[in-house]
Amino acid sequence: MIRTVRACALAALLVVPGTMTACGSSVDSPAARTSASASVDVPAAVTISVRIAGGSVTPTNTRTEARQFQPIVITVDSDAADELHVHSEPSQTFAIEPGAGQQFRFTVTVPGRVDVELHHAGKTVTTLLIRP
């Protein structure tokens, strides 16, 4: 009888080796694997298209909503050099060259209002409303 109990206990240990912890939860359960490999929802990038032509800037003085850490992409077509300033914390500056399809990608880590300006043109493209 003792031999049978020992054999059953040994068989039970061999069926699920290494999957039980001292507190009785399964380390290698399908739920543990799923939660460990689940991806974090990253919001899609906010894209803003800017055109600088003949001294005019389009758009100007708009409002754009985004979330904290959400990627923001500003695409610029320009016939003149300028600097794009993002007045976030820390501030970010991007050099604009004459040309089409220039992309500037950044994130804002502090919630609040963030102006995006063109330095030489003296125009505010948009104010980002960053939500937590």
Side-chain angles (χ1 to χ4, degrees):
M1 180 72 171
I2 294 175
R3 189 177 297 169
T4 305
V5 172
R6 284 185 188 158
C8 288
L10 180 60
L13 289 174
L14 293 175
V15 172
V16 286
T19 60
M20 299 301 284
T21 63
C23 63
S25 65
S26 175
V27 173
D28 195 31
S29 71
R33 283 192 302 271
T34 301
S35 66
S37 64
S39 63
V40 175
D41 289 335
V42 176
V46 171
T47 303
I48 302 165
S49 296
V50 177
R51 181 167 173 79
I52 305 168
S56 286
V57 177
T58 306
T60 57
N61 297 318
T62 63
R63 302 267 189 252
T64 305
E65 290 193 19
R67 295 193 55 115
Q68 186 179 15
F69 302 108
Q70 183 173 15
I72 299 168
V73 178
I74 298 182
T75 303
V76 178
D77 294 338
S78 181
D79 64 359
D82 207 323
E83 286 182 356
L84 185 71
H85 289 192
V86 180
H87 293 273
S88 58
E89 185 58 44
S91 66
Q92 302 173 66
T93 302
F94 303 96
I96 296 173
E97 300 295 328
Q102 300 169 74
Q103 288 195 343
F104 308 101
R105 185 180 188 95
F106 59 93
T107 60
V108 178
T109 60
V110 178
R113 293 176 181 257
V114 174
D115 288 333
V116 178
E117 301 173 335
L118 291 168
H119 180 70
H120 299 299
K123 302 281 185 182
T124 298
V125 173
T126 192
T127 298
L128 299 171
L129 306 172
I130 305 298
R131 311 272 184 231

